[in-house]
């Protein structure tokens, strides 16, 4: 975010949702200091912009690099939820131009 064009404007335009990686809490750049941390989605609904919301999802110890490598090797069993795997296969994501 810190390298985006005019990142200091983001809190005045939208909310920011953050998905932390397994065991690591994302550190936001100082340009996001104006964000107030929302504790619920209701807070987001009642505030037009300017909130930070940390998405609570199960932590998964898998990287997108590992998923891409498995796909390039032709593996169909991926270390991710089935719904995500189906989406990747249906949309033909992470494929080479020759596929």
């Amino acid at each position: 975010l810190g390298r985006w064009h005019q990142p200091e404007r983001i809190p005045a335009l939208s909310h920011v949702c953050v998905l932390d990686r397994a065991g690591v809490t994302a550190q936001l750049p100082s340009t996001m200091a104006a964000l107030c941390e929302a504790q619920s989605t209701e807070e987001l609904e009642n505030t037009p912009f300017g909130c930070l919301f940390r998405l609570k999802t199960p932590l998964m110890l898998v990287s997108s690099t590992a998923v891409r490598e498995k796909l390039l090797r032709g593996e169909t069993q991926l270390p991710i939820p089935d719904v995500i795997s189906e989406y990747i296969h249906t949309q033909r994501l992470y494929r080479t131009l020759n596929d």
Side-chain angles (χ1 to χ4, degrees):
L1 289 173
R3 289 184 254 151
W4 287 10
H5 178 69
Q6 298 180 332
E8 68 283 352
R9 294 188 61 211
I10 294 170
L13 299 171
S14 66
H15 296 304
V16 174
C17 292
V18 175
L19 180 63
D20 294 325
R21 288 188 178 249
V24 179
T25 300
Q27 298 299 312
L28 297 176
S30 60
T31 54
M32 299 295 110
L35 293 167
C36 63
E37 190 147 358
Q39 301 303 313
S40 69
T41 55
E42 289 78 24
E43 286 183 61
L44 300 178
E45 292 171 4
N46 296 321
T47 308
F49 53 82
C51 289
L52 167 70
F53 186 70
R54 292 189 183 274
L55 299 171
K56 293 169 180 59
T57 60
L59 297 178
M60 299 183 68
L61 297 173
V62 63
S63 70
S64 58
T65 301
V67 171
R68 286 192 300 272
E69 288 172 352
K70 287 180 177 290
L71 286 166
L72 289 173
R73 288 194 303 266
E75 296 181 32
T76 56
Q77 294 292 350
L78 302 175
I80 55 178
D82 289 342
V83 66
I84 296 172
S85 180
E86 287 177 28
Y87 183 82
I88 288 171
H89 288 296
T90 302
Q91 299 299 316
R92 301 186 52 76
L93 301 178
Y94 305 122
R95 303 289 179 188
T96 64
L97 294 177
N98 298 327
D99 286 344

